[in-house]
Amino acid sequence: MNSKQKKLSLKVSEWLRSPGPDGDIVLSSRVRLARNLRDIPFPYLASDSQSAAVLEQVRSMIPALSAAHGPVRVYTMDELDSLERQVLVEKHLISPALANNQQHNSAVLLRDDEIISIMVNEEDHLRIQCLLPGLQLERALQLAEEYDDLLEAKLDYAFNERWGYLTVCPTNVGTGLRASVMMHLPALMLTKQASRILQAIAQVGLAVRGIYGEGSEIKGNLVQISNQITLGQSSEEIVRNLYGVAKQVVEQETQARQILLNEGRDRIADRVNRSLGTLRYARLISSEEAMQLLSDVRLGVDLGLIEEVDGSILKELLLLHRPAYLQYLTGRNLDSFERDRARAKLIRLRLAGKQLHEREE
Amino acid sequence: MLCENCKERQATVHLTKIINDEKYVQHLCEKCAREKGEFDFEFPSFSLQNLLSGLMNLDAQPAGQVMGFAAQKLQCDNCGLTYAQFGQLGRFGCSRCYDAFGERLVPLLRRIHGSTQHLGKIPRRAGGTLKLRRSIEELRQKLQEAVAREEFEQAAKLRDQIRELEEQAREGENNEQ
């Protein structure tokens, strides 16, 4: 491909720009529906012509999908280079599994505002994802289902009465629904309450993990909570349960923040402002350090201890300082030292109110 | 020995490369080695698939061996996946595997989900007349309740609705054939 031309938009996704309901604690709500086509072998078993046919069928739906809520574009994994694929992973628009899969006619359909992404030939033939800012799971489900209905109008879905939507993995069968929320829980972490609460959540059939998918560590005080069970409950029920739990966690985090303010105002003010100072003046910063400091600053903004920074910038930065995005933004490959330098610069500029889109020379 | 790259951590990866008879030796820590892509760490990871096949093999107790053997021979006629392969992979091969493996799936899915009946969304086309039939069931339930409460006017209305839906369901089924 032509390395000078950027295929992907560097634009910040809608879910990163606006806060949404309970947006000080819940960064995003996500719903994904796993769907397959009847009788066609699942992607890992399908022949090249079979998976190509699946992609073709989905492609033919683009006009109908675009007519619904704005233009939808398709990117095949083999037309994107590894950096571009990684950018999509960092923006949470595709899964790492899809990014690593260039053989099976894998692709993603992206709506312009990046709220809807439809992965084709991932683990399942189709994975319809809706990603919204803040806590709005019901809305996310509703939107994902709209696209689901549009696709089902033409595509022959694999469904049976007993098992519901048939999926590759038996853990997804039934509704094929995985709903999740990404939450920022600095006060619960600081006050060492998080593990107690997160363990309790695990006992009600929900999974808790870091934000970069299965097995990832908790970084930047960000956790993801999602449903595990997909069979025997309706999608609405699953989403309502998760919403209920998320609301509880929001309440706990809010209380913990209040306690931090009441009992240790000076200490917390000192901590978050020191973190801001480091971010403002650092010349080299690792991803891990950046996430921790950004989390502190965000907490400072939420608590009213830092007034000169806009909270929304921090939400963007928490995700956009990631390695692939940095390299895509600067337009070249960077080694880890250069990335630390570029990251520090990006954060400095952004905290000073500059836009991200200007290319560095 | 410290890592040559970061000079912070112990070097635990010692690489020897021979290119055109020239020997290069590198001493790196795991982190730098991984970042450099010099060494692919392939730990035998414990995956979801392992876990699933573990769950499935719970069924193959010694006493159940005969049945277990029969089940191993089950095969999907559409994609060719056998039940034994499903046990190893923890993945179905195509949508028809669900029919091919039939009742054998019940214990596994119950263990995963605590349920063996889909209750959620029904797709408009692929669901066929299922949606109608579910509505009919619901109305029948209501009809019984109405009769029990001696609300006969309401019951009559419900009965008419049920007839209408049954008619639609019959038409739908004829169209499918």
Side-chain angles (χ1 to χ4, degrees):
Chain A
M1 70 160 257
N2 181 353
S3 64
K4 295 272 175 277
Q5 221 178 358
K6 286 204 163 78
K7 284 208 188 68
L8 301 175
S9 143
L10 276 167
K11 193 179 65 174
V12 177
S13 319
E14 175 62 29
W15 72 273
L16 284 169
R17 266 187 294 141
S18 45
D22 286 311
D24 53 340
I25 294 170
V26 184
L27 300 194
S28 68
S29 299
R30 171 158 51 168
V31 157
R32 80 97 169 100
L33 303 171
R35 299 289 185 254
N36 285 287
L37 304 188
R38 198 170 61 205
D39 297 348
I40 301 173
F42 293 144
Y44 80 100
L45 268 189
S47 67
D48 190 58
S49 62
Q50 284 168 324
S51 59
V54 170
L55 178 56
E56 223 22 72
Q57 281 199 59
V58 180
R59 255 185 214 275
S60 73
M61 300 301 296
I62 291 177
L65 297 175
S66 295
H69 299 282
V72 171
R73 295 215 309 189
V74 63
Y75 301 94
T76 60
M77 287 305 112
D78 59 6
E79 75 179 290
L80 300 176
D81 62 28
S82 69
L83 190 59
E84 290 167 323
R85 296 195 298 271
Q86 202 51 40
V87 167
L88 293 178
V89 173
E90 288 177 2
K91 287 175 124 185
H92 294 254
L93 297 174
I94 66 172
S95 64
L98 190 80
N100 293 329
N101 195 347
Q102 295 140 70
Q103 284 113 49
H104 297 105
N105 293 295
S106 300
V108 61
L109 272 61
L110 272 185
R111 196 169 95 180
D112 245 16
D113 55 11
E114 302 182 342
I115 282 178
I116 297 285
S117 64
I118 301 170
M119 290 187 267
V120 187
N121 290 322
E122 202 241 22
E123 181 179 287
D124 295 291
H125 289 140
L126 289 169
R127 293 227 164 155
I128 305 164
Q129 174 185 281
C130 180
L131 187 53
L132 289 174
L135 183 56
Q136 31 184 348
L137 286 163
E138 279 188 26
R139 176 82 189 120
L141 175 64
Q142 200 187 341
L143 265 172
E145 290 203 333
E146 268 185 54
Y147 284 84
D148 183 34
D149 293 340
L150 286 169
L151 290 165
E152 207 256 335
K154 292 277 157 58
L155 306 179
D156 290 327
Y157 274 2
F159 177 87
N160 86 30
E161 294 188 12
R162 173 139 202 204
W163 303 121
Y165 291 92
L166 306 178
T167 55
V168 176
C169 187
T171 56
N172 291 322
V173 78
T175 55
L177 168 73
R178 190 80 64 219
S180 65
V181 286
M182 191 200 295
M183 306 186 79
H184 183 224
L185 306 175
L188 287 175
M189 296 289 217
L190 267 173
T191 54
K192 311 250 186 281
Q193 300 293 301
S195 63
R196 183 178 56 86
I197 289 165
L198 299 180
Q199 268 167 23
I201 289 173
Q203 283 169 357
V204 295
L206 300 175
V208 182
R209 58 196 186 202
I211 60 167
Y212 288 97
E214 268 165 59
S216 65
E217 295 170 51
I218 294 177
K219 282 186 186 155
N221 301 321
L222 295 172
V223 301
Q224 188 171 298
I225 304 173
S226 59
N227 69 302
Q228 291 297 88
I229 288 169
T230 56
L231 183 69
Q233 295 178 353
S234 72
S235 308
E236 290 75 16
E237 218 177 323
I238 292 170
V239 158
R240 261 200 310 274
N241 287 345
L242 180 60
Y243 176 85
V245 168
K247 264 292 196 198
Q248 291 271 331
V249 179
V250 165
E251 205 169 292
Q252 297 280 329
E253 169 69 17
T254 309
Q255 279 177 20
R257 289 180 182 192
Q258 206 49 51
I259 290 169
L260 280 180
L261 268 185
N262 294 345
E263 319 236 320
R265 188 183 183 96
D266 290 337
R267 243 181 305 160
I268 194 74
D270 181 62
R271 178 188 170 120
V272 299
N273 279 290
R274 274 172 188 271
S275 297
L276 176 60
T278 306
L279 288 173
R280 278 216 168 119
Y281 295 102
R283 290 303 191 261
L284 295 171
I285 195 162
S286 72
S287 175
E288 208 154 320
E289 187 184 4
M291 282 186 86
Q292 185 53 51
L293 297 175
L294 286 166
S295 166
D296 281 350
V297 174
R298 174 73 197 250
L299 176 65
V301 173
D302 290 343
L303 293 179
L305 298 169
I306 294 174
E307 282 174 355
E308 64 272 35
V309 178
D310 177 355
S312 73
I313 290 174
L314 291 157
K315 184 166 150 189
E316 291 174 31
L317 284 176
L318 269 175
L319 293 145
L320 299 186
H321 72 268
R322 306 281 304 166
Y325 194 87
L326 268 184
Q327 297 183 61
Y328 203 59
L329 195 65
T330 48
R332 60 194 185 89
N333 285 329
L334 305 170
D335 63 26
S336 99
F337 182 82
E338 291 170 319
R339 285 205 298 274
D340 288 356
R341 189 165 58 196
R343 180 178 298 116
K345 186 172 176 191
L346 169 83
I347 293 171
R348 248 178 12 247
L349 288 175
R350 204 67 186 94
L351 286 175
K354 300 246 166 53
Q355 289 303 309
L356 290 173
H357 300 254
E358 304 142 33
R359 283 264 304 269
E360 282 186 60
E361 289 313 315
Chain B
M1 188 189 303
L2 283 180
C3 168
E4 287 174 4
N5 192 50
C6 63
K7 300 187 177 62
E8 282 173 11
R9 288 173 288 268
Q10 272 304 319
T12 50
V13 178
H14 309 280
L15 279 169
T16 309
K17 274 196 217 170
I18 298 171
I19 302 168
N20 298 332
D21 285 341
E22 282 209 57
K23 194 170 160 189
Y24 302 90
V25 184
Q26 269 191 310
H27 306 281
L28 300 169
C29 66
E30 277 188 23
K31 188 163 183 269
C32 293
R34 203 178 304 139
E35 274 171 13
K36 278 183 176 266
E38 290 283 10
F39 194 87
D40 250 338
F41 289 91
E42 287 212 11
F43 293 113
S45 64
F46 188 77
S47 67
L48 181 66
Q49 271 69 38
N50 297 124
L51 203 61
L52 287 179
S53 47
L55 283 178
M56 290 174 63
N57 290 331
L58 285 177
D59 302 333
Q61 318 97 333
Q65 258 167 10
V66 181
M67 190 189 153
F69 181 71
Q72 307 289 308
K73 284 201 154 177
L74 280 175
Q75 185 172 20
C76 172
D77 60 4
N78 185 44
C79 69
L81 192 82
T82 64
Y83 188 76
Q85 287 172 317
F86 170 61
Q88 285 155 14
L89 295 167
R91 298 191 285 192
F92 294 99
C94 72
S95 55
R96 279 214 238 152
C97 294
Y98 282 88
D99 297 327
F101 304 151
E103 288 302 303
R104 287 288 301 171
L105 298 173
V106 172
L108 174 72
L109 286 160
R110 182 178 290 124
R111 274 185 202 116
I112 298 173
H113 296 287
S115 166
T116 57
Q117 178 62 55
H118 174 60
L119 291 176
K121 185 174 176 177
I122 301 162
R124 238 168 262 162
R125 290 191 318 120
T129 54
L130 179 60
K131 213 170 200 165
L132 278 175
R133 281 179 280 134
R134 288 252 173 101
S135 313
I136 293 169
E137 268 168 46
E138 267 173 44
L139 288 174
R140 282 211 181 108
Q141 192 75 37
K142 279 190 193 155
L143 175 62
Q144 278 187 0
E145 286 164 15
V147 171
R149 286 195 305 268
E150 301 188 1
E151 295 170 0
F152 297 114
E153 216 169 305
Q154 177 68 9
K157 270 187 208 157
L158 288 165
R159 189 200 53 212
D160 292 345
Q161 280 177 16
I162 291 170
R163 280 196 187 143
E164 199 175 311
L165 291 185
E166 279 175 340
E167 186 58 32
Q168 282 179 31
R170 259 195 301 278
E171 277 170 27
E173 264 152 33
N174 290 338
N175 289 343
E176 269 173 35
Q177 281 155 11

